[in-house]
Every structure is written in C-alpha cells, then in structure tokens.
Amino acid sequence: MDPECARLLPALCAVLADPRQPVADDTCLEKLLDWFKAVTEAGSSLLLLQEHPCLVELLFHALRAQDLSPRTLSFALRLAGVFAAQENCFQHLQGDPSLFVASAAGQLLVHILDLAMREPAEGRVCPQAWDWPVCARKIVCHLEDCLRSDAAPRVTQALHVLTTTFGHCHGLWTQGLWVQLSPLVACLLEKDPMPAPHTLVDLLLSVARSSVPSSDPGLWETVAQTLSRLSPTQAGPLAAGILKLQDCPQALRIQAFNVLLQPLACVLEAATQAPATPGLLEGAAGDLMAVDTLPPSKSACVGLLCSALAHLELLQPLPQRPSPWPQAPLLAAAVTILRFCNGSAAPSSEAGGRLCTMLVGCVRVQRAALDFLGVLSQGLGPQELVTQVFAVLLEYLMSPDSSPMVLKKAFQATLRWLLSSAMPPGCCDLEPCAQLVLGELLAMLQKRLCSPCWEVRDSGLEFLTQVTRHWGGQASFRQVLLASELPELTRQLLQDPESYVRASAVAAVGQLSSWGLLAAPSSPEQPAIPQETPLEALLLILTTDSEGFPRRAVMRVFTEWLRDGHAEVAEDPERFVAQVLRAAGKDGDWEVRVQGLELALVFLERLLGPRGSSAAAPPSVTARALRALCQVQLFEFAFRSLFDCDRPVAQKSCDLLLFLRATATPPGSPQEAGDRPNVASVEAALRRWRAGEQGQPLGELAPEAILAVLRSMDLEALRDTLAKSSDHVERSPQSLLQDMLATVGVLGDNEADCY
C-alpha cells in the first residue's frame, strides 16, 4: 500500500466510526470499496491488518453505530468483510429493514465464508464440515437457523446468501456446503405455501451451474420436485434455466420443456380453427394442462402467456435448445394467440370464450407473440402455416386498432419473415406468397405514412427503409413502388414536425435515392416538375435542422453514399466532401462531428486504400491524395477535432490521423531532401486550438507541411491519454482518502484534492 494511503487510512476509519462526522458522499464510499477489494485480491489484507490492527475494531464499531445513514452503514459493513471474519454483528444486520444493509450483510457473509474456507480447502478433495473453521461453522449454523425459520423474510435472506455463494465461490468446499444444507432446502418444498419461491428458483439454478451436480446427482431430483410443486408462472424461470444448461438429465429437460409449452398447448386447445398441426406436447407427456386450468384472472393468465413466449423466444436460437424443436406447433400457437388478441379466433368451449375475453386487445400479449413469431422465422414451416403467418401479420398492420408499439413489432416480424422467404436465402427474389404480401405491404404503407400518430409514421418509414435496402433492385418491387405515392410522401416527411420522423425520413430517402427510386413520375402529357435533388435536400437539413437526430441521420446517409459510390456523390466527390465537412465542423452535436470524421475516413480509404492493408500507397498516389485532402480542408477539420472537448471526437480524429500517417509516411520512409517545410503557422494554430482558442483557419496548406506535422506529433501518446477516463488522475486511492477526510475537516485546506 502507498505510504501516504497507509497514513490517511486510520483517520478515515475513525471518521466512519464517529456518528458525529458522517461521510455523506456515497460515490466516494463506493470507489473506496472498489480499491479495498483490489487490495484484497492482491493478497494484502493480512498485511494491512498487521500494520493497522485498529482497523477491524474501528470498522465494526462503525457497523454498530446507530446514527449512520443506510448507505454509509452498508459501505462499512461491506468494507469490514474485506478485512476480517467476525460474526458478532451480522445476524442482527442481515435482518435490517434497509435493503442496502440487508444486501450488504449477505455479501459480507459470502465474503467471510469464502475467505475462511480457502485455506482448509487447499489440496483437499472436499473438507468435511467438522474441519471447517469456527467462523465458517457459525455462518452455516446461522443459515440453517434461517432455513428452518417460519418467517419468510429469514428464509429469503438465507437463500439470497446461498445463491451468491454458489454463484461466486468456486472452491470444492461448496460441494460440502450443499450436502450440509440441501436437506433443509428440500424441506421448503413441503411447506404450504412454499416460502420465497422465486428466490428458491435462483438458488437451484445457481447450484446447477456450479460444480455441485458432478458430486451430487440428487440435485436433479430436488429440481424436478421443485418444478412439479411450483405454479406454472413460478416454474417458468426454473424451466427456462434448466433448458439453457449444457448438461442435465434428459428426463428433466423434457419436464422443463413441457412447463413452457403447456400454456401454448392450452391456447391451441381453446380455438376451434387452430391450424392443423401435431399436438404440441405429443409424445412428451400425457398430463396436458386443460384450457380451463389456465389462471382465472386476466393479469395472471396474461403474465403466464407472456412469460412462456419470452422464455421460448430466448431458447430458439440456442444450440442447446430442445431437439426436436416443435416448429410447426409453435407457429400455430403464435398465430392462434394473435388471433385471440384481435378477436378473429373462434373459441372451442366456454373456457375458450373466457380466454378470448381476456386476450382481446391485450397489447402486452400481442407484443410478446409478435416478438416470438419473428424469432420463429429462423426455422422452416409448412407452406400453409407460412401463409397464415403473413395473413395474421397483414391483419395487424392494416388494423386501425393496432397500437403504435404493436405496429412496430408487426413491422419487425414481417421483415424477418420476408427475409426468410428469399430464394435462396440472401437472394433478392422472394417466394410467390411473400412477393404478393410485399405488394400489399407497400399499399398499406401509404396509409401509415399519413397517420396522425408520429410513432406510426416513424415505424412505417423504418420499414420502408429496410425493404428498400433488401429489394430495391428487384424489378417487381421497383415497379410497384414507383407507381405508388411512397417516394413523394417520404420526401414530404423530411419536413415532419417530429424530429424522430424527420430522421427516419432521411434514412428512407437515402435508401430510395441509392436505388434510383426517388425520380418523380412523368409522362408526355404531364412532365415532371423540377425539384431539389436528394443531396440538396439533405444538405439543407444538415445545415438548418434544429434537432440533432435528423442531422446525425444525414451524416450516416452521406457516409454510406460516399462508401457505395452514389451517383450524385460520384459526379464530384471532392466538392461533396468539402461541403459536408464544412457543415459538420460547425455542428454543435458531437455525434455529428464524429460521423463527419467517419466520412473523412471513408474518403481517405477511397484515396489511399483500406485500413489494415500492409502495403503503403505509392508516392504518386500519396501525392495526389494529399492534394485532394488539402483541397477539401480535411486536415483543418481533423486537427480541430483532435482537440475537441468531447473525447469521442478527439479519439476518432486521432485514429484518422494515425491511419493517414501510417499510409502516407510509413516507418523507415526517408524524408524528401531539401529544406524542411514551413510548418510554423500550422504548429501555432495547433497550439491555439489545444489551448481552447478557435483562432483563424489554417488556410491553404502544402502537402509537405502536413506530412512534416504528422511526423512530429506523438499521436500514440495522445491516443493513450484519450483512452483513459477523464478523471483517471483524481480517482487514485490517495485522492479519494484526501477528499473524504476533507469533507469533515480532518485535513488542512492545502491537503485536499477535491474535484
């Protein structure tokens, strides 16, 4: 430990122990805790105690102080766990009504237990309980008392401690701990009602991910019993966690999968016109949950369905998902749920009618089902079912009752299904069914872009941008789109009163223009009316829009246009880049300036070759490139950005200049003979900009002067400095100790390092 820190630390402990001098800055306490944790991990805790034996008593005195704030008490409690294994105060504090203190008490127990068990566990297979240190035995006895308690809060506290222990402690001693406590955990399953079911689920999953299953196969029996005892809603997280494990018994995986599938099977059973598919649980289990056993209340039923859909959505892309995966029944269930929600499903019974009443218009279930349906696009399905998928999606997209968020989810799911219907995947040609749907979608989009709700206009523009990106080159798509009013509507939305919509309109215009789909329709009888080009329209937004979102969108579009060789840009790329950089350099939004540097980087790569290339550009190419860079005033923009007050801008500029220097002046390349170029004016301007002065522009620059300046700058050191956080100096332990003591007047004025 730094000697100055060692000198200051006892005084800080005295402050913590003195209720008359509370340290109110919780941020400092948390930062100091992080430092002490680092000290512990470095193995210095014992040495620290030997040097400062007063620390433990002072810290535990602080724990017992009655006037400390909960956050301060929490800090002192956690800090004490770093230094010593004393147990005389944690039993009371673990039951403290403050969540900060109770949570900290649990962390203290885990930390003490881990520290106490490390030494006896070294070189041993698994120490027996009677070999554990006294401190560890007392903690385990305390946990046993809590697990036996009839008070649910005490049980919950013990389960929290054990969950943290098995999640963060990886020694073999944890196997012995589970052997000791698992009978008491199993006894919780027999209580009615079962105490802390959600916390019990967390514990079992934490144990299942540890080394315990390798030594105690009985764990899986406890998990299976828990699955059968919990309600369907409570069992969902446990079932999903089991299915994400790499190794567990197949019978348990089947049981867990059935837990998630049962609510969806009930929905299929409740509809008379559900798509004809094999039974959802066919061959897996015979104890299907009947539809009339779904939770009777709307909130519980909705919660169960949303939970099952969310868990299955997360499982679908995982390699360890159940196999075979019932793709067709799941598609049928998702479609049926959506039809119950929009009222188009016919219930098969009185119980099905009640389910229909609960689900009609339920936005929460609609969103969950649409998300799940979108994920299912990654798999295959019978053509009949795929047709029904597109049909129900169109119903939602066209329905005036669909909420803005539901519409957004429907657009996202539709795009995913269109992409999965390409022939072959990744191709721009669609299957006939999807091709027909795309035509209907474009007709629907015209209405959505005229919606009075800005969220709907925004979602519609986002969808138009994506479908144009993927199918802008397809003849049938181009024909339908150019015959519609979508291009003109998109242009008009560049002036939308809502900035989010203007930003989305910018992105859509960028895509439409890239594919040549913004040309105004004309005929011999009615010639096209001249109007500003897309480039002119977007430049106007970049220079005049008062909101940052549209200007950022313009910069992204311009960067993409330059990278892809957009027709308008290719006419005069130097003029285009100069205009954009001039506007971006004056912009007050740092993200616009960063994107300006990205555009400059793309321009550099067009001139000198891509980054990462080992070959340096030939001298003739470099000379032409430097002249072009000077012409567009890229250097002035980059050098100013190098001293930008927003660190991401400076970092981006540093990367750009490093790339330019490496390409134009590779290591070992000789400097041209003759007098050194006059770089005085450039260096003087850089000094002014570094000092925060705007100064005069650099004016016309000679390429030789630029190269000389680049050679002389220590860009690597600047990059390293920028990579550090802005307060890396002030975050030192010594600075923290000084600041905390200064707040209570322990230090003199000249000793404080306040920031």
Side-chain angles (χ1 to χ4, degrees), residues 60 63 76-87 89-90 93 102-115 139 161:
F60 277 92
L63 293 179
L77 181 62
R78 292 164 65 192
L79 187 57
V82 176
F83 294 110
Q86 294 196 22
E87 70 290 335
C89 64
F90 63 73
L93 289 172
S103 174
Q107 294 181 42
L108 170 63
L109 291 180
V110 174
H111 196 88
I112 293 175
L113 192 58
D114 190 30
L115 286 176
I139 292 176
V161 170

PDB file of all heavy atoms in Angstrom, residues 60 63 76-87 89-90 93 102-115 139 161:
ATOM      1  N   PHE A  60     -15.916  -2.275  12.747  1.00  0.00           N
ATOM      2  CA  PHE A  60     -17.082  -2.902  13.360  1.00  0.00           C
ATOM      3  C   PHE A  60     -17.775  -1.964  14.336  1.00  0.00           C
ATOM      4  O   PHE A  60     -18.982  -2.065  14.550  1.00  0.00           O
ATOM      5  CB  PHE A  60     -16.687  -4.218  14.034  1.00  0.00           C
ATOM      6  CG  PHE A  60     -16.643  -5.356  13.073  1.00  0.00           C
ATOM      7  CD1 PHE A  60     -15.465  -5.696  12.433  1.00  0.00           C
ATOM      8  CD2 PHE A  60     -17.777  -6.066  12.755  1.00  0.00           C
ATOM      9  CE1 PHE A  60     -15.425  -6.725  11.524  1.00  0.00           C
ATOM     10  CE2 PHE A  60     -17.745  -7.100  11.853  1.00  0.00           C
ATOM     11  CZ  PHE A  60     -16.575  -7.437  11.231  1.00  0.00           C
ATOM     12  N   LEU A  63     -20.066  -0.244  12.227  1.00  0.00           N
ATOM     13  CA  LEU A  63     -21.234  -1.060  11.913  1.00  0.00           C
ATOM     14  C   LEU A  63     -22.310  -0.952  12.988  1.00  0.00           C
ATOM     15  O   LEU A  63     -23.502  -0.984  12.701  1.00  0.00           O
ATOM     16  CB  LEU A  63     -20.838  -2.532  11.759  1.00  0.00           C
ATOM     17  CG  LEU A  63     -19.955  -2.890  10.555  1.00  0.00           C
ATOM     18  CD1 LEU A  63     -19.644  -4.365  10.594  1.00  0.00           C
ATOM     19  CD2 LEU A  63     -20.641  -2.516   9.268  1.00  0.00           C
ATOM     20  N   ALA A  76     -19.739   0.465   5.278  1.00  0.00           N
ATOM     21  CA  ALA A  76     -18.882  -0.004   6.367  1.00  0.00           C
ATOM     22  C   ALA A  76     -18.994  -1.508   6.538  1.00  0.00           C
ATOM     23  O   ALA A  76     -18.014  -2.207   6.794  1.00  0.00           O
ATOM     24  CB  ALA A  76     -19.257   0.713   7.663  1.00  0.00           C
ATOM     25  N   LEU A  77     -20.202  -2.008   6.386  1.00  0.00           N
ATOM     26  CA  LEU A  77     -20.429  -3.439   6.540  1.00  0.00           C
ATOM     27  C   LEU A  77     -19.686  -4.223   5.464  1.00  0.00           C
ATOM     28  O   LEU A  77     -18.996  -5.201   5.739  1.00  0.00           O
ATOM     29  CB  LEU A  77     -21.935  -3.710   6.458  1.00  0.00           C
ATOM     30  CG  LEU A  77     -22.400  -5.150   6.622  1.00  0.00           C
ATOM     31  CD1 LEU A  77     -22.032  -5.666   7.994  1.00  0.00           C
ATOM     32  CD2 LEU A  77     -23.895  -5.237   6.412  1.00  0.00           C
ATOM     33  N   ARG A  78     -19.795  -3.778   4.210  1.00  0.00           N
ATOM     34  CA  ARG A  78     -19.120  -4.484   3.129  1.00  0.00           C
ATOM     35  C   ARG A  78     -17.609  -4.368   3.270  1.00  0.00           C
ATOM     36  O   ARG A  78     -16.860  -5.292   2.985  1.00  0.00           O
ATOM     37  CB  ARG A  78     -19.585  -3.921   1.785  1.00  0.00           C
ATOM     38  CG  ARG A  78     -21.041  -4.241   1.477  1.00  0.00           C
ATOM     39  CD  ARG A  78     -21.585  -3.364   0.375  1.00  0.00           C
ATOM     40  NE  ARG A  78     -20.919  -3.618  -0.884  1.00  0.00           N
ATOM     41  CZ  ARG A  78     -21.046  -2.838  -1.957  1.00  0.00           C
ATOM     42  NH1 ARG A  78     -21.802  -1.759  -1.886  1.00  0.00           N
ATOM     43  NH2 ARG A  78     -20.435  -3.122  -3.079  1.00  0.00           N
ATOM     44  N   LEU A  79     -17.165  -3.209   3.698  1.00  0.00           N
ATOM     45  CA  LEU A  79     -15.741  -2.991   3.863  1.00  0.00           C
ATOM     46  C   LEU A  79     -15.168  -3.898   4.948  1.00  0.00           C
ATOM     47  O   LEU A  79     -14.065  -4.438   4.818  1.00  0.00           O
ATOM     48  CB  LEU A  79     -15.496  -1.525   4.213  1.00  0.00           C
ATOM     49  CG  LEU A  79     -14.043  -1.052   4.256  1.00  0.00           C
ATOM     50  CD1 LEU A  79     -13.364  -1.322   2.923  1.00  0.00           C
ATOM     51  CD2 LEU A  79     -13.989   0.418   4.594  1.00  0.00           C
ATOM     52  N   ALA A  80     -15.932  -4.080   6.031  1.00  0.00           N
ATOM     53  CA  ALA A  80     -15.452  -4.938   7.109  1.00  0.00           C
ATOM     54  C   ALA A  80     -15.227  -6.357   6.627  1.00  0.00           C
ATOM     55  O   ALA A  80     -14.304  -7.039   7.074  1.00  0.00           O
ATOM     56  CB  ALA A  80     -16.461  -4.932   8.258  1.00  0.00           C
ATOM     57  N   GLY A  81     -16.035  -6.809   5.705  1.00  0.00           N
ATOM     58  CA  GLY A  81     -15.869  -8.150   5.187  1.00  0.00           C
ATOM     59  C   GLY A  81     -14.562  -8.361   4.463  1.00  0.00           C
ATOM     60  O   GLY A  81     -14.099  -9.481   4.320  1.00  0.00           O
ATOM     61  N   VAL A  82     -13.954  -7.281   4.003  1.00  0.00           N
ATOM     62  CA  VAL A  82     -12.681  -7.411   3.328  1.00  0.00           C
ATOM     63  C   VAL A  82     -11.572  -7.755   4.304  1.00  0.00           C
ATOM     64  O   VAL A  82     -10.613  -8.428   3.979  1.00  0.00           O
ATOM     65  CB  VAL A  82     -12.353  -6.093   2.582  1.00  0.00           C
ATOM     66  CG1 VAL A  82     -10.977  -6.157   1.947  1.00  0.00           C
ATOM     67  CG2 VAL A  82     -13.407  -5.820   1.541  1.00  0.00           C
ATOM     68  N   PHE A  83     -11.700  -7.291   5.562  1.00  0.00           N
ATOM     69  CA  PHE A  83     -10.588  -7.375   6.495  1.00  0.00           C
ATOM     70  C   PHE A  83     -10.648  -8.548   7.453  1.00  0.00           C
ATOM     71  O   PHE A  83      -9.621  -9.058   7.861  1.00  0.00           O
ATOM     72  CB  PHE A  83     -10.514  -6.084   7.320  1.00  0.00           C
ATOM     73  CG  PHE A  83     -10.159  -4.894   6.497  1.00  0.00           C
ATOM     74  CD1 PHE A  83     -11.092  -3.922   6.244  1.00  0.00           C
ATOM     75  CD2 PHE A  83      -8.898  -4.767   5.956  1.00  0.00           C
ATOM     76  CE1 PHE A  83     -10.764  -2.824   5.472  1.00  0.00           C
ATOM     77  CE2 PHE A  83      -8.562  -3.666   5.186  1.00  0.00           C
ATOM     78  CZ  PHE A  83      -9.500  -2.698   4.944  1.00  0.00           C
ATOM     79  N   ALA A  84     -11.819  -8.960   7.887  1.00  0.00           N
ATOM     80  CA  ALA A  84     -11.827  -9.916   8.984  1.00  0.00           C
ATOM     81  C   ALA A  84     -13.061 -10.783   8.949  1.00  0.00           C
ATOM     82  O   ALA A  84     -14.063 -10.447   8.352  1.00  0.00           O
ATOM     83  CB  ALA A  84     -11.767  -9.175  10.316  1.00  0.00           C
ATOM     84  N   ALA A  85     -12.966 -11.912   9.626  1.00  0.00           N
ATOM     85  CA  ALA A  85     -14.079 -12.834   9.714  1.00  0.00           C
ATOM     86  C   ALA A  85     -14.676 -12.751  11.106  1.00  0.00           C
ATOM     87  O   ALA A  85     -14.495 -13.637  11.929  1.00  0.00           O
ATOM     88  CB  ALA A  85     -13.611 -14.249   9.405  1.00  0.00           C
ATOM     89  N   GLN A  86     -15.335 -11.663  11.408  1.00  0.00           N
ATOM     90  CA  GLN A  86     -16.012 -11.506  12.690  1.00  0.00           C
ATOM     91  C   GLN A  86     -17.507 -11.619  12.450  1.00  0.00           C
ATOM     92  O   GLN A  86     -18.020 -11.095  11.486  1.00  0.00           O
ATOM     93  CB  GLN A  86     -15.690 -10.139  13.310  1.00  0.00           C
ATOM     94  CG  GLN A  86     -14.212 -10.007  13.688  1.00  0.00           C
ATOM     95  CD  GLN A  86     -13.992  -8.847  14.622  1.00  0.00           C
ATOM     96  OE1 GLN A  86     -14.912  -8.396  15.289  1.00  0.00           O
ATOM     97  NE2 GLN A  86     -12.768  -8.384  14.669  1.00  0.00           N
ATOM     98  N   GLU A  87     -18.188 -12.341  13.358  1.00  0.00           N
ATOM     99  CA  GLU A  87     -19.593 -12.632  13.109  1.00  0.00           C
ATOM    100  C   GLU A  87     -20.510 -12.061  14.175  1.00  0.00           C
ATOM    101  O   GLU A  87     -21.702 -12.363  14.191  1.00  0.00           O
ATOM    102  CB  GLU A  87     -19.796 -14.156  13.046  1.00  0.00           C
ATOM    103  CG  GLU A  87     -19.633 -14.886  14.380  1.00  0.00           C
ATOM    104  CD  GLU A  87     -18.193 -14.919  14.867  1.00  0.00           C
ATOM    105  OE1 GLU A  87     -17.295 -14.831  14.025  1.00  0.00           O
ATOM    106  OE2 GLU A  87     -17.988 -15.009  16.075  1.00  0.00           O
ATOM    107  N   CYS A  89     -21.894  -9.227  14.591  1.00  0.00           N
ATOM    108  CA  CYS A  89     -22.901  -8.220  14.290  1.00  0.00           C
ATOM    109  C   CYS A  89     -23.764  -8.561  13.084  1.00  0.00           C
ATOM    110  O   CYS A  89     -24.769  -7.925  12.843  1.00  0.00           O
ATOM    111  CB  CYS A  89     -22.242  -6.868  14.058  1.00  0.00           C
ATOM    112  SG  CYS A  89     -21.164  -6.857  12.625  1.00  0.00           S
ATOM    113  N   PHE A  90     -23.385  -9.593  12.275  1.00  0.00           N
ATOM    114  CA  PHE A  90     -24.103  -9.750  11.014  1.00  0.00           C
ATOM    115  C   PHE A  90     -25.505 -10.322  11.203  1.00  0.00           C
ATOM    116  O   PHE A  90     -26.385 -10.082  10.404  1.00  0.00           O
ATOM    117  CB  PHE A  90     -23.303 -10.615  10.029  1.00  0.00           C
ATOM    118  CG  PHE A  90     -23.063 -12.034  10.459  1.00  0.00           C
ATOM    119  CD1 PHE A  90     -24.080 -12.959  10.450  1.00  0.00           C
ATOM    120  CD2 PHE A  90     -21.791 -12.443  10.839  1.00  0.00           C
ATOM    121  CE1 PHE A  90     -23.841 -14.264  10.822  1.00  0.00           C
ATOM    122  CE2 PHE A  90     -21.554 -13.746  11.209  1.00  0.00           C
ATOM    123  CZ  PHE A  90     -22.576 -14.663  11.202  1.00  0.00           C
ATOM    124  N   LEU A  93     -27.800  -7.441  11.613  1.00  0.00           N
ATOM    125  CA  LEU A  93     -27.831  -6.551  10.453  1.00  0.00           C
ATOM    126  C   LEU A  93     -28.451  -7.213   9.236  1.00  0.00           C
ATOM    127  O   LEU A  93     -29.021  -6.549   8.379  1.00  0.00           O
ATOM    128  CB  LEU A  93     -26.415  -6.082  10.123  1.00  0.00           C
ATOM    129  CG  LEU A  93     -25.812  -5.090  11.116  1.00  0.00           C
ATOM    130  CD1 LEU A  93     -24.354  -4.850  10.796  1.00  0.00           C
ATOM    131  CD2 LEU A  93     -26.584  -3.782  11.096  1.00  0.00           C
ATOM    132  N   ALA A 102     -29.293  -4.965   4.412  1.00  0.00           N
ATOM    133  CA  ALA A 102     -29.549  -6.405   4.323  1.00  0.00           C
ATOM    134  C   ALA A 102     -28.743  -7.031   3.191  1.00  0.00           C
ATOM    135  O   ALA A 102     -28.156  -8.107   3.341  1.00  0.00           O
ATOM    136  CB  ALA A 102     -31.046  -6.648   4.113  1.00  0.00           C
ATOM    137  N   SER A 103     -28.686  -6.347   2.044  1.00  0.00           N
ATOM    138  CA  SER A 103     -27.910  -6.865   0.923  1.00  0.00           C
ATOM    139  C   SER A 103     -26.428  -6.898   1.265  1.00  0.00           C
ATOM    140  O   SER A 103     -25.718  -7.866   0.960  1.00  0.00           O
ATOM    141  CB  SER A 103     -28.148  -6.004  -0.317  1.00  0.00           C
ATOM    142  OG  SER A 103     -27.305  -6.397  -1.372  1.00  0.00           O
ATOM    143  N   ALA A 104     -25.962  -5.838   1.923  1.00  0.00           N
ATOM    144  CA  ALA A 104     -24.550  -5.788   2.298  1.00  0.00           C
ATOM    145  C   ALA A 104     -24.212  -6.875   3.304  1.00  0.00           C
ATOM    146  O   ALA A 104     -23.115  -7.453   3.271  1.00  0.00           O
ATOM    147  CB  ALA A 104     -24.216  -4.417   2.872  1.00  0.00           C
ATOM    148  N   ALA A 105     -25.141  -7.164   4.220  1.00  0.00           N
ATOM    149  CA  ALA A 105     -24.899  -8.227   5.197  1.00  0.00           C
ATOM    150  C   ALA A 105     -24.727  -9.568   4.501  1.00  0.00           C
ATOM    151  O   ALA A 105     -23.852 -10.368   4.849  1.00  0.00           O
ATOM    152  CB  ALA A 105     -26.056  -8.287   6.192  1.00  0.00           C
ATOM    153  N   GLY A 106     -25.554  -9.820   3.503  1.00  0.00           N
ATOM    154  CA  GLY A 106     -25.414 -11.070   2.755  1.00  0.00           C
ATOM    155  C   GLY A 106     -24.078 -11.158   2.045  1.00  0.00           C
ATOM    156  O   GLY A 106     -23.423 -12.202   2.042  1.00  0.00           O
ATOM    157  N   GLN A 107     -23.652 -10.052   1.440  1.00  0.00           N
ATOM    158  CA  GLN A 107     -22.355 -10.053   0.768  1.00  0.00           C
ATOM    159  C   GLN A 107     -21.218 -10.267   1.764  1.00  0.00           C
ATOM    160  O   GLN A 107     -20.222 -10.929   1.447  1.00  0.00           O
ATOM    161  CB  GLN A 107     -22.172  -8.732   0.020  1.00  0.00           C
ATOM    162  CG  GLN A 107     -23.139  -8.555  -1.138  1.00  0.00           C
ATOM    163  CD  GLN A 107     -22.901  -7.247  -1.871  1.00  0.00           C
ATOM    164  OE1 GLN A 107     -21.772  -6.857  -2.103  1.00  0.00           O
ATOM    165  NE2 GLN A 107     -23.977  -6.561  -2.222  1.00  0.00           N
ATOM    166  N   LEU A 108     -21.370  -9.699   2.950  1.00  0.00           N
ATOM    167  CA  LEU A 108     -20.353  -9.896   3.992  1.00  0.00           C
ATOM    168  C   LEU A 108     -20.243 -11.370   4.353  1.00  0.00           C
ATOM    169  O   LEU A 108     -19.145 -11.931   4.458  1.00  0.00           O
ATOM    170  CB  LEU A 108     -20.703  -9.067   5.221  1.00  0.00           C
ATOM    171  CG  LEU A 108     -19.877  -9.344   6.480  1.00  0.00           C
ATOM    172  CD1 LEU A 108     -18.412  -9.011   6.232  1.00  0.00           C
ATOM    173  CD2 LEU A 108     -20.407  -8.558   7.658  1.00  0.00           C
ATOM    174  N   LEU A 109     -21.374 -12.030   4.543  1.00  0.00           N
ATOM    175  CA  LEU A 109     -21.354 -13.446   4.902  1.00  0.00           C
ATOM    176  C   LEU A 109     -20.647 -14.274   3.837  1.00  0.00           C
ATOM    177  O   LEU A 109     -19.826 -15.146   4.137  1.00  0.00           O
ATOM    178  CB  LEU A 109     -22.781 -13.953   5.099  1.00  0.00           C
ATOM    179  CG  LEU A 109     -23.541 -13.424   6.317  1.00  0.00           C
ATOM    180  CD1 LEU A 109     -24.935 -14.025   6.346  1.00  0.00           C
ATOM    181  CD2 LEU A 109     -22.808 -13.746   7.593  1.00  0.00           C
ATOM    182  N   VAL A 110     -20.973 -14.005   2.579  1.00  0.00           N
ATOM    183  CA  VAL A 110     -20.356 -14.762   1.491  1.00  0.00           C
ATOM    184  C   VAL A 110     -18.853 -14.520   1.459  1.00  0.00           C
ATOM    185  O   VAL A 110     -18.053 -15.456   1.305  1.00  0.00           O
ATOM    186  CB  VAL A 110     -20.993 -14.375   0.144  1.00  0.00           C
ATOM    187  CG1 VAL A 110     -20.260 -15.055  -1.016  1.00  0.00           C
ATOM    188  CG2 VAL A 110     -22.471 -14.754   0.129  1.00  0.00           C
ATOM    189  N   HIS A 111     -18.468 -13.273   1.619  1.00  0.00           N
ATOM    190  CA  HIS A 111     -17.047 -12.942   1.564  1.00  0.00           C
ATOM    191  C   HIS A 111     -16.280 -13.599   2.711  1.00  0.00           C
ATOM    192  O   HIS A 111     -15.194 -14.175   2.516  1.00  0.00           O
ATOM    193  CB  HIS A 111     -16.867 -11.423   1.615  1.00  0.00           C
ATOM    194  CG  HIS A 111     -15.505 -10.969   1.199  1.00  0.00           C
ATOM    195  ND1 HIS A 111     -15.175 -10.694  -0.110  1.00  0.00           N
ATOM    196  CD2 HIS A 111     -14.380 -10.759   1.918  1.00  0.00           C
ATOM    197  CE1 HIS A 111     -13.905 -10.322  -0.181  1.00  0.00           C
ATOM    198  NE2 HIS A 111     -13.408 -10.345   1.042  1.00  0.00           N
ATOM    199  N   ILE A 112     -16.845 -13.525   3.899  1.00  0.00           N
ATOM    200  CA  ILE A 112     -16.195 -14.145   5.054  1.00  0.00           C
ATOM    201  C   ILE A 112     -16.100 -15.653   4.866  1.00  0.00           C
ATOM    202  O   ILE A 112     -15.059 -16.268   5.116  1.00  0.00           O
ATOM    203  CB  ILE A 112     -16.962 -13.811   6.345  1.00  0.00           C
ATOM    204  CG1 ILE A 112     -16.845 -12.313   6.658  1.00  0.00           C
ATOM    205  CG2 ILE A 112     -16.453 -14.635   7.515  1.00  0.00           C
ATOM    206  CD1 ILE A 112     -17.685 -11.884   7.848  1.00  0.00           C
ATOM    207  N   LEU A 113     -17.172 -16.258   4.417  1.00  0.00           N
ATOM    208  CA  LEU A 113     -17.183 -17.708   4.221  1.00  0.00           C
ATOM    209  C   LEU A 113     -16.137 -18.123   3.195  1.00  0.00           C
ATOM    210  O   LEU A 113     -15.398 -19.106   3.383  1.00  0.00           O
ATOM    211  CB  LEU A 113     -18.580 -18.141   3.777  1.00  0.00           C
ATOM    212  CG  LEU A 113     -18.900 -19.632   3.781  1.00  0.00           C
ATOM    213  CD1 LEU A 113     -18.717 -20.228   5.166  1.00  0.00           C
ATOM    214  CD2 LEU A 113     -20.326 -19.863   3.294  1.00  0.00           C
ATOM    215  N   ASP A 114     -16.041 -17.368   2.120  1.00  0.00           N
ATOM    216  CA  ASP A 114     -15.073 -17.698   1.075  1.00  0.00           C
ATOM    217  C   ASP A 114     -13.650 -17.559   1.593  1.00  0.00           C
ATOM    218  O   ASP A 114     -12.797 -18.434   1.376  1.00  0.00           O
ATOM    219  CB  ASP A 114     -15.295 -16.780  -0.132  1.00  0.00           C
ATOM    220  CG  ASP A 114     -14.504 -17.222  -1.340  1.00  0.00           C
ATOM    221  OD1 ASP A 114     -14.255 -18.425  -1.495  1.00  0.00           O
ATOM    222  OD2 ASP A 114     -14.115 -16.353  -2.147  1.00  0.00           O
ATOM    223  N   LEU A 115     -13.363 -16.467   2.305  1.00  0.00           N
ATOM    224  CA  LEU A 115     -12.023 -16.271   2.856  1.00  0.00           C
ATOM    225  C   LEU A 115     -11.674 -17.351   3.881  1.00  0.00           C
ATOM    226  O   LEU A 115     -10.553 -17.859   3.924  1.00  0.00           O
ATOM    227  CB  LEU A 115     -11.920 -14.889   3.510  1.00  0.00           C
ATOM    228  CG  LEU A 115     -11.842 -13.678   2.578  1.00  0.00           C
ATOM    229  CD1 LEU A 115     -11.856 -12.393   3.400  1.00  0.00           C
ATOM    230  CD2 LEU A 115     -10.596 -13.737   1.713  1.00  0.00           C
ATOM    231  N   ILE A 139     -21.340 -19.372  10.578  1.00  0.00           N
ATOM    232  CA  ILE A 139     -22.144 -18.827   9.481  1.00  0.00           C
ATOM    233  C   ILE A 139     -23.118 -19.876   8.972  1.00  0.00           C
ATOM    234  O   ILE A 139     -24.301 -19.589   8.740  1.00  0.00           O
ATOM    235  CB  ILE A 139     -21.227 -18.336   8.343  1.00  0.00           C
ATOM    236  CG1 ILE A 139     -20.441 -17.111   8.798  1.00  0.00           C
ATOM    237  CG2 ILE A 139     -22.038 -17.998   7.098  1.00  0.00           C
ATOM    238  CD1 ILE A 139     -19.435 -16.614   7.778  1.00  0.00           C
ATOM    239  N   VAL A 161     -28.157 -15.458   0.331  1.00  0.00           N
ATOM    240  CA  VAL A 161     -26.749 -15.682   0.659  1.00  0.00           C
ATOM    241  C   VAL A 161     -26.230 -16.915  -0.065  1.00  0.00           C
ATOM    242  O   VAL A 161     -25.131 -16.903  -0.645  1.00  0.00           O
ATOM    243  CB  VAL A 161     -26.567 -15.824   2.181  1.00  0.00           C
ATOM    244  CG1 VAL A 161     -25.156 -16.298   2.518  1.00  0.00           C
ATOM    245  CG2 VAL A 161     -26.856 -14.504   2.877  1.00  0.00           C
TER     246      VAL A 161
END
